[in-house]
């Protein structure tokens, strides 16, 4: 058999092991009973071992070389290019370390969950230490020029360095802090909070209305509930998203669903040939986040969207009749420094990221000990957002990421916002009637643009290349700062 | 390291692969989106391959022998005994055949689902042919004296033969048909059907009340919804049960939950050392079914139970205030020949089994072709129950079993009813105040008896041995016929 055929069969088998690991992961976050946690960590280790050992075997490298030497179709060339890039990078870390990290993080996740529930950071600290230790070892294995944190960052956003993130943060912080000052003098939107409760079943129905409008394929995907919403792909026909419900606020789950469905549409949009296994099938987490942010903020927090969605909302929750469309839209865009990142508005959101970036960079680089995290968190919350959490559950324990060993992950959320603004700017130029299309509920119009310009490329290009290819220039934060100033000046009637 | 240690580690690893297969299975029946079906079959094949290849390797046999030669604790002796018995039996079937069956049945399951939905038997027939072919091959590999079907039956109920089942069926059918005639002259219970709808969320709450009362451990288990309810164990701390909801009838899900929780309590009650992996940790499906039937019919369809559960029902569904406890109990025990097995009353239930046994026996033995199944089904329904389905969905397509290759499984449902009656008879003798305990909601009393007499033994004894050990005699259908006549004579005031 031709080497490329054997290589593709191998990829498929790795994909199956990855799918098993993904299902174990999804289940742990949705339906798994508590007492299964210990065994689950071992199962996840085992599934990861199967995948990693097959992927990182010498034979995979030999197959890649042999395939490169043969005659390849353009698609096959791209597949080999992607697999080779990921193989070289991941081989730097010993298989055993990949597996150990999976097991330790499954345990740390449980420790984090308990610590958050009981507001007791000390329950999480020892597990975090172990995870950190493995991550530092991995950074050393990967290699770096300036600091260990760069090696981690590169796992999630290939090509970017901590120092560069810093140069983005400075002007961005200045812009956002300035904007917050402007808004103080503007007309703050009222929050329309009807005393009514919003039964979960009806909220689910509303979320499904949104998914239909977004063309999220529910035959090839699914929506569940999870305490910390996420998206996970088992196979091209199995993309799962999650949201969480607040019975006093139907928009909390709706925005969460929009966000995760943005990720989900991306996964569903990768051409089947280029969907190798989910983790290596898109260029970076920042690019991924640009998709979720586009749908969450660019669409569902836009006035155009509410022109079409308002009647659907009224059908399910007639109580909103008392509220005009424009007021509803303004209230969904009310700016207020708050404690919880995932509930933050678009203006303060990036400030939440900045403080996490600074803390995790120091932490991974060994400049601060785990024990100082709660204190450091509260200090930085005060300096960036002017408020301080009263419990660690609302503070340093709010995010799942560090329990998962995801140091270097947070900055990709900020980059996602920046990419999204830059892509949107180009989309508006390409589609003059975009605004009308959204107002009429024709969301296939922006989706088609994303499919053609971004989804279709899978992981062929590095994030920097893709941004340049799509927009004609490198990452430029001005698109975001222009967007956010103009949107919020309008909302605050300045 | 000592051989027994190595063997136990191997068992643990097989258990992990079995747990992955179980999760894939559970997910396929609960939350998996439709388009994932193709890939899911491959994943299940892969998980099965991992488990079967490790279990059936020569090395396992060598480890068993070496362990037997060493010094063993009593528990270790039992573990070796169980594993050896299962190893010898399963080795007769080539690993490849186990794996192929898993893949074909995952595909056949999807074909069955579609066929049932569209009432089109021809959509299911080709997939069923393939499954049958593998099962016949497996019967040949396993070996048999009289007929291939015996080999299949032995997989689920070790030690029993089709001819024996036949000798049970004759007097049982006579008893049941006679009883049906008696009941015609009795006072038929009214069905209390309030026009009200019963929201699923409230039904779920009611089901959880029942689980609590039954001491089903929800920290080590979970209740989901599935179109065809089942119980599955991932690990000792992860026993999942399912039910299905009918918005016009809260008792449908409640009885389903009681049944599956009966299976679940058994799985949760196997001592951790003896819980190897679920499939080899109990003596037979008939013994398993005796547990589900005990809770469903012996408890939840008893007047004693409703004495304690009625107030809980009223709290959630006050509409039942109009109905006296005794009338409610009688209406739950109304006898009526009907089309669907899982909704059948206790009297007609075994008649449903008899016709399935006869059909699948002929089918597996190659005496009738797949194409004749719908016709044969309808004929036998008429002869056993006096009614005929108007669609195949309500007829030959109603059960999932044959799509899963489970020929020889149905008779274990009947055996379960018989075992349950025999165990119950002994339980009443051992616990004079059982009736009062149930009426007061002290369900830990019967549970403790089951734990001590049945659950604690895991799969140490063969079904025949266990029945004799617990009750002092071999399977005796008189316990069931006495029970059913006396119960229904009382209900029908004869």
């Amino acid at each position: 058999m031709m080497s490329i055929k054997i290589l593709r069969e191998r990829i498929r088998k790795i994909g199956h092991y990855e799918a098993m690991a993904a299902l174990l992961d999804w289940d742990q976050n949705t339906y798994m009973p508590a007492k299964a946690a210990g065994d689950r960590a071992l199962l996840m280790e085992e599934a990861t071992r199967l995948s990693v050992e097959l992927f990182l075997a010498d034979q995979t490298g030999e197959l890649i070389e042999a395939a490169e030497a043969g005659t390849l179709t353009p698609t096959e060339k791209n597949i080999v290019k992607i697999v080779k890039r990921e193989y070289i990078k991941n081989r730097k870390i010993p298989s055993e370390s990949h597996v150990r990290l999976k097991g330790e993080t499954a345990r740390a996740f449980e420790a984090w969950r308990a610590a958050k529930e009981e507001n007791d950071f000390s329950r999480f600290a020892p597990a975090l230490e172990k995870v950190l230790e493995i991550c530092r070892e991995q950074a050393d294995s990967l290699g770096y020029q300036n600091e260990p944190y760069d090696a981690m960052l590169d796992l999630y956003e290939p090509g970017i360095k901590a120092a560069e993130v810093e140069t983005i943060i400075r002007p961005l912080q200045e812009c956002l802090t300035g904007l917050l000052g402007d808004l103080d003098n503007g007309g703050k939107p009222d929050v329309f909070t009807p005393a009514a409760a919003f039964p979960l079943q009806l909220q689910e129905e509303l979320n499904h209305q949104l998914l239909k409008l977004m063309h999220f394929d529910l035959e090839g995907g699914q929506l569940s509930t999870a305490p910390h919403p996420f998206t996970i792909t088992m196979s091209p026909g199995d993309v799962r998203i999650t949201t969480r419900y607040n019975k006093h606020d139907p928009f909390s789950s709706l925005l969460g669903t929009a966000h995760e469905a943005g990720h989900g549409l991306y996964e569903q949009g990768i051409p089947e040939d280029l969907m190798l296994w989910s983790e290596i099938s898109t260029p970076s987490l920042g690019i991924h986040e640009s998709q979720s942010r586009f749908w969450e903020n660019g669409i569902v927090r836009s006035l155009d969207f509410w022109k079409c969605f308002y009647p659907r909302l009224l059908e399910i929750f007639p109580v909103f009749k008392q509220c005009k469309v424009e007021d509803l839209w303004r209230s969904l865009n009310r700016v207020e420094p708050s404690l919880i990142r995932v509930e933050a508005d678009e203006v303060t959101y990036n400030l939440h990221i900045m403080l996490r970036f600074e803390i995790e960079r120091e932490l991974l680089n060994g400049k601060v000990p785990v024990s100082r995290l709660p204190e450091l968190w509260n200090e930085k919350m005060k300096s960036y957002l002017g408020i301080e959490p009263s419990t660690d559950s609302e503070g340093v324990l709010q995010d799942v990421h560090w329990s998962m060993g995801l140091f270097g992950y947070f900055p990709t959320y900020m980059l996602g916002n920046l990419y999204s603004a830059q892509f949107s700017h180009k989309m508006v130029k390409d589609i003059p009637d975009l605004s009308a299309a959204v107002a009429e509920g024709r969301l296939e119009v922006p989706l088609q643009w994303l499919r053609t310009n971004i989804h279709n490329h899978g992981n062929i290009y590095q994030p920097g290349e893709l941004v340049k290819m799509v927009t004609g220039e490198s990452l430029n934060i001005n698109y975001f700062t222009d967007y956010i100033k103009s949107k919020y000046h309008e909302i605050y009637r300045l």
Side-chain angles (χ1 to χ4, degrees), chain A:
Chain A
M1 211 190 314
M2 274 161 44
S3 307
I4 180 68
K5 289 250 159 66
I6 307 175
L7 180 63
R8 290 187 77 174
E9 270 180 21
R10 199 179 183 86
I11 291 168
R12 196 161 182 219
K13 193 154 182 181
I14 297 166
H16 286 161
Y17 296 142
E18 286 286 321
M20 286 183 202
L23 181 61
L24 290 165
D25 198 347
W26 173 83
D27 181 67
Q28 186 179 33
N29 283 282
T30 50
Y31 298 103
M32 188 190 82
K35 286 186 185 167
D39 256 316
R40 183 52 51 96
L42 297 170
L43 284 172
M44 290 174 79
E45 259 180 17
E46 187 59 38
T48 303
R49 181 190 308 278
L50 290 165
S51 160
V52 166
E53 285 182 355
L54 191 60
F55 181 36
L56 302 184
D58 295 343
Q59 222 190 326
T60 307
E62 290 156 22
L63 280 169
I64 291 170
E65 266 182 48
E68 276 179 323
T71 318
L72 299 178
T73 67
T75 298
E76 287 168 349
K77 262 188 201 154
N78 283 324
I79 292 170
V80 173
K81 175 181 166 180
I82 295 166
V83 174
K84 185 180 181 179
R85 187 207 298 137
E86 297 294 329
Y87 177 75
I88 291 171
K89 189 199 282 182
N90 281 286
R91 276 270 281 198
K92 292 182 182 161
I93 299 171
S95 294
E96 201 35 58
S97 176
H98 285 288
V99 176
R100 254 176 62 225
L101 185 62
K102 197 75 177 187
E104 285 304 339
T105 53
R107 280 178 280 271
F109 172 79
E110 291 304 324
W112 165 76
R113 185 142 76 177
K116 185 177 176 181
E117 211 175 291
E118 293 161 26
N119 185 36
D120 179 1
F121 182 76
S122 71
R123 279 200 65 162
F124 176 45
L128 181 59
E129 292 277 13
K130 282 189 193 165
V131 169
L132 252 178
E133 197 189 309
I134 304 176
C135 290
R136 285 188 190 127
E137 281 169 23
Q138 294 198 348
D140 287 340
S141 304
L142 290 163
Y144 51 85
Q145 278 199 308
N146 300 318
E147 51 188 301
Y149 184 75
D150 278 346
M152 292 282 105
L153 197 50
D154 195 69
L155 286 178
Y156 308 113
E157 202 63 28
I160 211 155
K161 303 268 179 288
E164 248 179 279
V165 174
E166 236 188 308
T167 65
I168 291 170
I169 282 182
R170 269 194 224 111
L172 191 56
Q173 186 194 358
E174 203 178 309
C175 158
L176 294 174
T177 312
L179 180 56
L180 280 175
D182 294 351
L183 298 188
D184 273 345
N185 304 316
K188 193 167 195 163
D190 289 328
V191 175
F192 179 73
T193 30
F198 300 97
L200 302 198
Q201 254 175 316
L202 294 181
Q203 289 197 43
E204 270 181 41
E205 209 181 306
L206 187 70
N207 280 294
H208 275 97
Q209 288 272 1
L210 173 66
L211 292 177
K212 218 175 125 187
L213 203 63
M214 285 174 70
H215 302 279
F216 179 82
D217 178 6
L218 279 161
E219 292 276 296
Q222 190 257 17
L223 173 68
S224 283
T225 307
H228 199 290
F230 64 99
T231 296
I232 202 162
T233 298
M234 248 68 78
S235 64
D238 194 354
V239 176
R240 306 204 182 177
I241 61 175
T242 53
T243 193
R244 62 177 169 194
Y245 296 95
N246 174 344
K247 68 178 168 193
H248 304 297
D249 175 10
F251 303 109
S252 167
S253 65
L254 193 74
L255 288 161
T257 297
H259 180 97
E260 300 304 332
H263 285 303
L265 285 174
Y266 192 10
E267 296 278 312
Q268 291 185 335
I270 307 292
E272 208 171 315
D273 275 333
L274 295 182
M275 178 49 96
L276 309 177
W277 59 91
S278 173
E279 255 184 55
I280 71 161
S281 300
T282 55
S284 74
L285 291 179
I287 299 296
H288 226 303
E289 190 75 3
S290 75
Q291 303 304 296
S292 55
R293 286 297 168 182
F294 172 80
W295 290 99
E296 179 190 0
N297 293 333
I299 299 291
V300 177
R301 275 201 175 98
S302 77
L303 181 55
D304 286 331
F305 171 79
W306 284 99
K307 286 180 187 159
C308 91
F309 204 68
Y310 183 65
R312 288 174 170 87
L313 175 71
L314 292 193
E315 264 174 42
I316 295 175
F317 296 123
V319 66
F320 287 103
K321 260 185 204 136
Q322 309 162 40
C323 182
K324 278 190 234 147
V325 182
E326 209 201 315
D327 292 338
L328 182 64
W329 165 65
R330 293 182 72 229
S331 88
L332 289 177
N333 284 289
R334 190 180 148 109
V335 175
E336 193 125 53
S338 67
L339 295 172
I340 307 297
R341 175 185 60 84
V342 293
E343 286 161 9
D345 56 79
E346 276 181 280
V347 178
T348 57
Y349 186 89
N350 287 313
L351 302 170
H352 286 272
I353 299 304
M354 294 171 192
L355 79 95
R356 283 161 178 75
F357 164 71
E358 290 177 4
I359 294 175
E360 69 178 15
R361 186 185 184 187
E362 299 273 74
L363 190 63
L364 193 100
N365 289 342
K367 301 281 174 62
V368 298
V370 165
S371 59
R372 270 212 62 215
L373 287 191
E375 190 194 336
L376 204 58
W377 184 281
N378 295 352
E379 277 171 31
K380 289 205 187 266
M381 272 301 287
K382 198 149 193 188
S383 110
Y384 272 110
L385 285 140
I387 52 176
E388 231 180 311
S390 57
T391 68
D392 286 338
S393 297
E394 290 183 319
V396 68
L397 287 171
Q398 72 181 263
D399 293 306
V400 69
H401 301 63
W402 293 338
S403 81
M404 313 288 279
L406 301 173
F407 304 98
Y409 196 112
F410 281 122
T412 69
Y413 288 147
M414 187 173 70
L415 292 167
N417 289 324
L418 306 180
Y419 292 143
S420 173
Q422 193 162 338
F423 290 147
S424 292
H425 182 263
K426 183 62 169 54
M427 192 191 291
V428 173
K429 268 178 47 183
D430 288 351
I431 312 172
D433 85 326
L434 181 66
S435 165
V438 173
E440 289 161 16
R442 290 185 287 118
L443 298 187
E444 59 277 16
V445 173
L447 177 60
Q448 200 45 57
W449 189 93
L450 296 172
R451 290 264 187 264
T452 309
N453 288 282
I454 296 167
H455 305 181
N456 269 345
H457 300 305
N459 187 10
I460 299 173
Y461 309 103
Q462 294 287 82
E465 295 171 333
L466 184 71
V467 171
K468 201 154 187 178
M469 203 173 77
V470 176
T471 68
E473 63 176 313
S474 304
L475 178 61
N476 178 344
I477 79 160
N478 293 338
Y479 292 108
F480 180 78
T481 53
D482 288 352
Y483 153 80
I484 200 126
K485 279 188 288 192
S486 126
K487 174 170 177 179
Y488 285 88
H489 276 223
E490 188 189 345
I491 288 164
Y492 277 71
R493 296 172 177 152
L494 284 163

